[in-house]
């Protein structure tokens, strides 16, 4: 199974979350797994890709509409995770929302 998300009908939206972590897990791994599963249940969620090395993590999630992204941001459980992220897990992060107008995936 590939870690690269499949192609989606355009247009759609990408949320790019880049982060630098604080030291230690402090419950991050458990919460990240919960948020992955919860995101998959949200209206308009299309898929996600994620990678992390020792310094930088990048997660890109894909959504049908801006309204779907706003609903995910407002989700109560996600808000708790966001708060803990700011207080415990991230020393720095950025979040960018982009409209995807072209999509192509190559696969052998």
């Amino acid at each position: 199974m590939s870690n690269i998300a499949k192609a989606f009908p355009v247009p759609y939206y990408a949320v790019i979350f880049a982060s630098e972590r604080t030291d230690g897990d402090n419950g991050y791994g458990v919460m990240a797994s919960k948020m992955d599963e919860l995101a998959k249940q949200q209206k308009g969620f299309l898929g996600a890709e994620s990678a992390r090395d020792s310094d930088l993590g990048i997660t890109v999630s894909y959504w049908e509409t801006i309204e779907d992204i706003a609903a995910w941001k407002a989700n109560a459980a996600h808000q708790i995770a966001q708060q803990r992220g700011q207080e415990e897990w991230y020393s720095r992060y950025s979040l960018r929302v982009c409209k995807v107008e072209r999509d192509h995936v190559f696969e052998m």
Side-chain angles (χ1 to χ4, degrees):
M1 178 178 217
S2 175
N3 293 320
I4 296 176
K6 65 182 186 117
F8 307 110
V10 294
Y12 61 91
Y13 294 85
V15 177
I16 305 166
F17 181 74
S19 63
E20 296 173 354
R21 290 281 317 280
T22 57
D23 291 332
D25 182 81
N26 302 315
Y28 177 83
V30 170
M31 183 67 83
S33 292
K34 287 180 182 178
M35 290 301 103
D36 285 344
E37 289 306 311
L38 184 59
K40 290 175 185 175
Q41 299 170 23
Q42 302 307 299
K43 178 184 177 296
F45 178 82
L46 298 171
E49 300 161 327
S50 188
R52 175 168 291 284
D53 68 14
S54 61
D55 298 317
L56 175 68
I58 299 174
T59 297
V60 184
S61 60
Y62 302 103
W63 301 85
E64 289 180 4
T65 69
I66 289 286
E67 293 79 15
D68 296 333
I69 295 168
W72 172 235
K73 180 175 176 28
N75 177 285
H78 188 212
Q79 285 187 335
I80 291 168
Q82 291 171 61
Q83 185 66 35
R84 286 194 66 192
Q86 291 176 350
E87 293 173 356
E88 299 177 55
W89 298 321
Y90 302 117
S91 57
R92 179 179 176 160
Y93 69 81
S94 66
L95 187 129
R96 295 171 173 93
V97 178
C98 310
K99 184 176 183 180
V100 178
E101 296 181 348
R102 192 171 83 189
D103 185 340
H104 175 78
V105 175
F106 168 79
E107 188 171 334
M108 288 183 96

